[in-house]
Amino acid sequence: MAERGASGSGSSGDSLDKSITLPPDEIFRNLENAKRFAIDIGGSLTKLAYYSTVQHKVARVRSFDYSGKDAEQDHEPPYEISVQEEVTARLHFVKFENTYIEACLDFIKDHLVNTETKVIQATGGGAYKFKDLIEEKLRLRVDKEDVMTCLIKGCNFVLKNIPHEAFVYQKDSDPEFKFQTNHPNIFPYLLVNIGSGVSIVKVETEDRFEWIGGSSIGGGTFWGLGALLTKTKKFDELLHLASKGQHANVDMLVQDVYGGAHQTLGLSGNLIASSFGKSATADREFSKEDMAKSLLHMISNDIGQLACLYAKLHCLDRVYFGGFFIRGHPVTMRTITYSINFFSKGEVQALFLRHEGYLGAIGAFLKGAEQDNPNQYSWGENYAGSSGLMSSSPELCPTQRARSGTFDLLEMDRLERPLVNLPLLLDPSSYVPDTVDLTDDALARKYWLTCFEEALDGVVKRAVASQPGSVDAAERAEKFRQKYWSKLQTLRHQPFAYGTLTVRSLLDTREHCLNEFNFPDPYSKVKQKENGVALKCFPRVIRCLDALGWEERQLALVKGLLAGNVFDWGAKAVSDVLESDPQFGFEEAKMKLQERPWLVDSYSKWLQRLKGPPHKCALIFADNSGIDVILGVFPFVRELLSRGTEVILACNSGPALNDVTYCESLIVAERIAAMDPVVHSALREERLLLMQTGSSSPCLDLRYPKTPARTPGPPVRVRAAEGHSPLVGRLDKGLAVLVRERGADLVVIEGMGRAVHTNYYAALRCESLKLAVIKNSWLAERLGGRLFSVIFKYEVPAE
């Protein structure tokens, strides 16, 4: 892919390649499938947006046709696996300096193939300045859009679709960046856009907003005066100078005017009394760094005071700042935050956006895509194709900073359904799925980043082994390694790059990178084999359970759930055992478990609850394939069904590690139904329902199940065992809707990723079971236990 971009197509490709640090094809990706363009051209930066379709490989499972065959032959796997092509929709946003615009347009023109687009939506002052150039280069008609409308549309879009989009900046705190969780109601708010000048807009609803003020003293002022004072022409270089300067060498402070008497006036001596005040009287030269810092303070304080006054006037306490002046730079954000806090006495909050530079381009794109109803979908950030937020320490990662000074990237994938909260959350607005914030916990961050680095070789090996017939699997796996390794190094120096850093985000980034290089399910063959082995053991396990007395059986069922959860290829301690000892099985896993009392042990309380009336409906989030779901979860499900409880079994929509997927669960349920009348009748009577969570992660975010949208295809259907009715995937109903309809009053969350890394502190409206085996010695020690300690957390909501 990079080779084609590096060679270019004529002189334009060559000239572009000489001026940037990334291959052009890595910047303007999927141009051959581009469908629609929008562009936002400001005084210094161009932001290009386009929509494309992306082909991905996906692993499909399908039940064998066992007609005339012995379905229980030892050598027969339970289903067959095929790899197919699917199409997803993706938004691309590229930000670069205007000096590159002609070369970039040349490259785009030379690499467009059969685009249906005839018009390009354009906004920003440069839409007029570069109109003729764009039409000549791309042979598209320029349709100019209102700047303010585009900004508001873009801001609403990122606030609704990107978790941890907004953050507050606290220079002397740890962490410096504190990200805000998505709130269902984002209105009203004040948007202060700092481009060449400053625009201040009050936003009340999706379509109602009002320009209420502004200033000509903005980013252009800082750049222009900075260039005159320091002879520095590059904006990023000017900010870099400011980051090293001491403004007190140039500014006159209160203590310079009043001496020690400032304390009697109730003023801080460090307050600026006069910007550049010392330059009028001091008979010496001032450094470029000090002048840049003084200028930055002067303009930031002016903007901050203005924004604060407008916020107070309109009774608003949230102010979002955007525009090229911000650019994720700590010095800029610190001065504006200080100004807002000072003038509002802490009553108004200064909020910044990770993607503030793209608001206009996103809005222009949405204006041009209204016929496609883009707002009926939700969109998720693709970490594999996006640049991160700038580092708070520029010296740590000069390459990243140099690159983001020229080109910056954001990619978003379309999700299948609008984001919805699980109805059983006690308070969706305060729900935080992740148990540990790695941006806040430096020791945990260091450990988990090292852990993911050390696991990389194993993931690469597994990825290659999953595609034995592919001639380029090893080459693609190596590219995956390089990209994910690069992401991990970025996160070492910039833990805030993609919002709050968590174990979940590290796992999601890895899945994004695997998909990027067409490894849709590296554990597909492992799961196929383990599901086959576990299915053969199922009848014996059920016979043993049925032979036990009631109370003895309840403990055995729970131990079976926990033992099944040991079989997690994502845990190094387990994968090492499974690789070295192929005979390690269900009984061996039980022996690994911690003896009671467990690390967290609510079992007695749970047993007492089981002596009461049955639950109406249980929602169970399953974890791993094979022994976990078949010998752990399904016997537990069977017991609940026998008590008269309906069960919704929710599995991943897409693959992650060796987690069971929805499609695999359909086949597993079909095979179990052929062996067990309890499961068979429950499926037939729809007392047992198999649903997809919408997630493709080992972790679980209950705020909004989500999955990449696919092109329409036939409904998922599995072939039933002889004499049984077929199972049809219930793709027409969302999990949240079904939970509400069935009145779920018990939630069971199983697995380390779902119940410990996420949701350990999740507060639900109904009873819940959170259970897992700790398969990581560091985490076990952190929790006060040891390897294979047990978490069994039964919670009842307060009355």
Side-chain angles (χ1 to χ4, degrees), residues 330-439:
V331 181
T332 312
M333 295 186 295
R334 181 188 185 184
T335 52
I336 284 181
T337 299
Y338 178 85
S339 177
I340 288 282
N341 286 338
F342 178 80
F343 290 114
S344 75
K345 295 182 171 61
E347 293 178 6
V348 176
Q349 190 174 44
L351 290 156
F352 303 95
L353 302 171
R354 284 203 293 130
H355 302 103
E356 36 76 24
Y358 292 116
L359 303 187
I362 292 172
F365 174 83
L366 293 173
K367 284 284 288 181
E370 285 173 343
Q371 69 271 23
D372 292 338
N373 255 335
N375 281 323
Q376 74 178 334
Y377 301 104
S378 293
W379 302 79
E381 184 174 6
N382 173 26
Y383 297 136
S386 298
S387 306
L389 188 65
M390 272 185 157
S391 170
S392 58
S393 303
E395 295 79 11
L396 287 178
C397 203
T399 336
Q400 179 76 11
R401 176 163 290 279
R403 194 190 83 186
S404 61
T406 51
F407 285 84
D408 188 77
L409 312 174
L410 167 64
E411 288 186 353
M412 299 183 72
D413 290 325
R414 194 174 78 188
L415 309 177
E416 184 176 339
R417 55 178 69 83
L419 307 182
V420 294
N421 294 315
L422 190 71
L424 300 177
L425 281 175
L426 185 63
D427 180 12
S429 64
S430 65
Y431 167 73
V432 177
D434 303 290
T435 305
V436 179
D437 180 349
L438 301 183
T439 50

